[in-house]
Structures are given as structure tokens and as C-alpha cells.
Amino acid sequence: MNGWFILAMLLLVVFALLVAMRTARPLWGFVGAALMLGAAGYAWQGRPTLPGEPRAAERTVQAPDIAADDLRDAIWGRFTYDYAYAVAADGLSRAGATQAAANAVLGGLQRAPNSGRLWTRSGTAILAHDGGQVLSPAARAAFARGMAAAPDHPGPYFYYGMALVQTGDLPGAKRAWLAALARAPRGASYREDLAMRLVLLDRLMAMRPAAAKP
């Protein structure tokens, strides 16, 4: 589709919206000036005569991990205010929409700024959006806020440990998981899972002696 045709259609749609919304006539000049500047910039730097070629966005879609969902719900609980935002972020992240996942968590934090769960999920979302290889200062700060908001809850420490494993800091991950296990209730269904992860982490560190040095 020709670029000039698309631009003309855009102008017509904006004009129709101005009429439908009964915008005051003095404002029409501002809107018109903005559109004219945009059109001038497009004519200067764009290539309006090229035909359009629709492209589908490429996203890496992850398969649902039911075991991870069950562990998440066991640690944090379900059907709370922050639960809905965390689950929404999980779904968006699996669909490859990491920025949308981070934004979903931020939306929940606007109404629940002291949610340890959402701050922790924010750290995970930032790590995913950054590529999952390096734990940035922003992600570390989010995890720290999560631990400060819920100092006696195992969740922030467990997921911080998960992030450290992902970025290669195995000793730091072990310290975080030990802290999570110490905060897990005696009868919690996920205690065995945490303990098993520590055993596996020890084995991994034994195979990587250099990584085991503090």
C-alpha cells in the first residue's frame, strides 16, 4: 500500500475523530499543525512511494510450565490482589512480550507499592526483558525491595536465587535459597522442593569449582 495513501487515510481518520468528539475549533489549528509537521517529516525522510509489506512480529513463545506455576502458587498463595498481576506477567513473558510483562507488574505496584510479591516479580520481569543474562542494577533493586517488603517470606529470596542461578552466580543463589528455606514454614508443601534444589545446586557447584568460590 502506497505511503501517501496511508498518510491521507490517517488525516481523514483524525479529521473524523475531531468532528465526532466535537473538539473546539481553536484546537483544530494545533492538531493540524502537528499533522502537517509529521507529514513534512515523512516526506523528507520517508520513502512514501514504496509499497507496503506487512510483517509479523517475531516472538519467542515458551510452553506453559505447570510445575513452575504450582510452585509459585504454593509459595505465594492464590486469589490475592497481586496474584492477578503476577499471573498476567507470567503469561505475557511466556508469549515473548517482556516489556508488557514488566508494565503489568508496574501497574499492580501503583496500587500495592508494598507488595513483596510484585517487587520480586518486577525483578524477574526486568531480568527477562534485559535478555536474561545479566542482573542489572534495576533488577537487583527490585529484588531488594521485595525482600524489604516481605523480610520473613521465602518468596523474594527464592526467586532472587533463581535469578542468580540464571545469571551464573551460584554461590549467591545458594545463600538466597538457604534464606528462603529458613523462612519456609515447617509444614509447607514446597519445603522439599527448596531442599532438593539446594542439593542439585551443590552438585552443580561441585562440577564448577571456580563458580563455587565466594
Side-chain angles (χ1 to χ4, degrees):
M1 186 179 293
N2 188 284
W4 288 121
F5 178 74
I6 296 175
L7 182 60
M9 291 296 295
L10 177 62
L11 294 174
L12 288 174
V13 169
V14 172
F15 176 74
L17 287 174
L18 290 174
V19 174
M21 296 174 64
R22 298 181 180 179
T23 304
R25 287 302 177 95
L27 295 178
W28 285 44
F30 292 102
V31 177
L35 291 173
M36 290 301 295
L37 285 174
Y42 180 61
W44 178 37
Q45 293 188 334
R47 302 178 67 182
T49 58
L50 288 179
E53 185 177 352
R55 294 283 185 176
E58 295 183 3
R59 289 182 176 178
T60 301
V61 180
Q62 302 176 9
D65 188 343
I66 298 176
D69 291 346
D70 290 343
L71 180 60
R72 175 200 65 202
D73 294 345
I75 292 176
W76 290 111
R78 301 179 64 185
F79 308 120
T80 59
Y81 168 78
D82 47 14
Y83 169 80
Y85 285 92
V87 171
D90 288 351
L92 290 168
S93 182
R94 286 170 180 163
T98 55
Q99 181 63 67
N103 290 340
V105 179
L106 290 176
L109 283 169
Q110 290 180 356
R111 293 185 58 186
N114 296 318
S115 170
R117 179 176 193 166
L118 289 181
W119 277 115
T120 302
R121 187 62 185 83
S122 179
T124 304
I126 294 171
L127 173 60
H129 185 61
D130 290 343
Q133 301 299 317
V134 178
L135 199 59
S136 68
R140 290 183 184 275
F143 281 118
R145 288 289 299 270
M147 289 183 275
D152 298 323
H153 198 287
Y157 298 90
F158 172 72
Y159 283 99
Y160 180 50
M162 290 284 288
L164 293 174
V165 169
Q166 185 174 340
T167 55
D169 184 359
L170 303 188
K174 181 175 181 179
R175 290 190 293 270
W177 281 356
L178 285 172
L181 186 62
R183 288 164 173 78
R186 289 290 179 183
S189 60
Y190 55 85
R191 275 188 66 90
E192 183 177 350
D193 192 304
L194 297 185
M196 181 58 67
R197 287 172 186 264
L198 279 165
V199 171
L200 295 175
L201 183 59
D202 280 336
R203 293 179 180 176
L204 180 59
M205 292 173 67
M207 291 187 291
R208 297 171 56 186
K213 295 180 181 179

